[in-house]
Amino acid sequence: MISPLPDITREVNILNRIIWFLMNILFGGFISMTMLVWVSCDMEMPNFFFPVLPSSSFIQSIFHVPWIDMKLIFPCKILFNAFLFALFGFVHTFFARNDVQQYLITRLSFPPLALRTFYLISTNITAWLLMGLWQHTSIQLWDFLKNYTFQDEYRGRHLILLIIFTLINLPGMCVVIQFDSLEFFGFKQIYQSTSCPIISRTTGMNKLVTDGIFKFCRHPMYLFLLLGCIISPSVSLDKFLFIIYAILYLYIAIPIEEKKLEKIFGQAYIDYKNEVPSIIPKLYNIKKKI
């Protein structure tokens, strides 16, 4: 059973909706997609990315990452980058909590329709800091593209890495489409009527989905994102550490996320969780369910 958030019928005028819409465009999805591009290109911002950015020197400079080299020794770089990822992970999980969202609405008079946008803005600001302050180790674990000659070395190299990452993540993109991409990026909620009930999920279907790719693992998006990072012709130590940080984060975050799903879907989700693996599908289950 879906538990509703507090019933606060606060009118949100069109100007406020337009402001949230613009903030969603600036911070809601673009930066998170940029971070995926950055990671897929071996923790480098591809040079083909900059022509699509506004010509303002400020806009260009903030996407030329890292912003600063702190001249840290190797162990300190590892710890500092772990701190940056922990900050990103904490914000990502903290603002998704139902009790935090209820506090924003009841105590801070936050408009319920903008919860998803606020969540995206918060996580994407920390993603921006993660990219801008990341201290590179300059250690390459493997690079099968180093012997190839490109007309523009970085442009060709980055395009190949991004294409491979995108192809691997196509099933994960289908999951986003299945759950309504406009809702996933917070646009649909902004123009929702204030008379509509606001449920405890800021995004996602109000029914438990266990078919399709969800028959094999409970979090297919995480699976394909990890695969896209690992299955790559070029992997630096920085990218490898990013993967390790992500795995450690998911080990903590998934149980927290699933407690919320258990409250929403009850015994049905508990049964589903007991039957289907979290991220890595079991081979015998795949053969049995195909």
Side-chain angles (χ1 to χ4, degrees):
M1 182 176 180
I2 302 171
S3 59
L5 288 171
D7 182 17
I8 299 177
T9 56
R10 187 186 304 113
E11 183 60 35
V12 181
N13 61 45
I14 188 63
L15 179 60
N16 287 335
R17 294 176 191 264
I18 291 174
I19 292 173
W20 281 111
F21 179 82
L22 293 175
M23 292 181 69
N24 207 350
I25 291 177
L26 291 173
F27 297 100
F30 180 69
I31 295 175
S32 61
M33 299 303 294
T34 300
M35 186 175 76
L36 292 179
V37 171
W38 175 70
V39 173
S40 69
C41 293
D42 213 5
M43 313 296 277
E44 296 176 346
M45 194 67 73
N47 58 2
F48 64 76
F49 190 71
F50 293 102
V52 304
L53 297 173
S55 58
S56 165
S57 59
F58 172 74
I59 297 295
Q60 292 277 357
S61 65
I62 59 179
F63 282 93
H64 276 283
V65 296
W67 300 327
I68 184 173
D69 183 356
M70 298 182 181
K71 307 297 183 183
L72 301 175
I73 61 175
F74 182 77
C76 291
K77 287 183 177 182
I78 304 300
L79 293 174
F80 182 76
N81 292 338
F83 166 76
L84 290 175
F85 196 99
L87 176 64
F88 167 74
F90 171 78
V91 172
H92 190 277
T93 298
F94 180 76
F95 286 108
R97 289 173 56 90
N98 193 44
D99 55 343
V100 173
Q101 294 176 357
Q102 289 185 356
Y103 182 86
L104 290 173
I105 294 173
T106 58
R107 299 297 181 88
L108 301 182
S109 301
F110 197 87
L113 304 182
L115 277 176
R116 180 66 181 175
T117 298
F118 177 76
Y119 169 75
L120 291 170
I121 291 172
S122 302
T123 55
N124 282 293
I125 287 175
T126 55
W128 208 346
L129 292 174
L130 176 67
M131 290 185 287
L133 298 177
W134 185 277
Q135 300 300 296
H136 288 262
T137 63
S138 301
I139 297 175
Q140 198 71 30
L141 297 183
W142 66 80
D143 187 0
F144 297 111
L145 299 177
K146 64 180 179 180
N147 295 324
Y148 287 86
T149 302
F150 302 105
Q151 185 175 2
D152 182 328
E153 180 182 356
Y154 287 101
R155 182 182 295 270
R157 172 194 180 87
H158 290 156
L159 275 174
I160 291 174
L161 293 174
L162 182 58
I163 289 171
I164 293 173
F165 180 84
T166 302
L167 290 175
I168 294 173
N169 275 277
L170 283 177
M173 295 176 189
C174 292
V175 172
V176 174
I177 296 172
Q178 180 181 1
F179 283 96
D180 192 335
S181 54
L182 288 177
E183 184 181 73
F184 184 83
F185 289 107
F187 293 107
K188 188 174 182 179
Q189 294 90 321
I190 292 174
Y191 289 95
Q192 183 180 359
S193 170
T194 52
S195 62
C196 294
I198 305 299
I199 60 171
S200 60
R201 304 190 78 188
T202 57
T203 185
M205 293 183 180
N206 302 332
K207 64 178 181 178
L208 180 60
V209 179
T210 60
D211 58 353
I213 198 171
F214 288 92
K215 290 191 298 184
F216 308 108
C217 68
R218 305 195 301 273
H219 302 280
M221 283 187 64
Y222 295 151
L223 169 64
F224 290 105
L225 284 172
L226 290 174
L227 287 177
C229 292
I230 296 170
I231 304 174
S232 174
S234 179
V235 172
S236 63
L237 178 61
D238 294 278
K239 188 174 183 178
F240 182 77
L241 289 171
F242 187 94
I243 296 168
I244 297 299
Y245 298 152
I247 292 172
L248 292 174
Y249 163 70
L250 292 176
Y251 183 79
I252 299 171
I254 286 178
I256 296 175
E257 180 181 340
E258 291 191 332
K259 284 183 180 179
K260 182 176 180 179
L261 295 173
E262 288 177 13
K263 289 181 180 179
I264 295 173
F265 299 115
Q267 187 61 41
Y269 191 83
I270 296 174
D271 294 339
Y272 172 63
K273 185 173 73 170
N274 292 334
E275 181 182 352
V276 178
S278 176
I279 295 179
I280 302 176
K282 296 178 181 178
L283 292 178
Y284 69 87
N285 274 350
I286 295 177
K287 294 178 181 178
K288 184 172 65 175
K289 295 179 179 182
I290 290 180

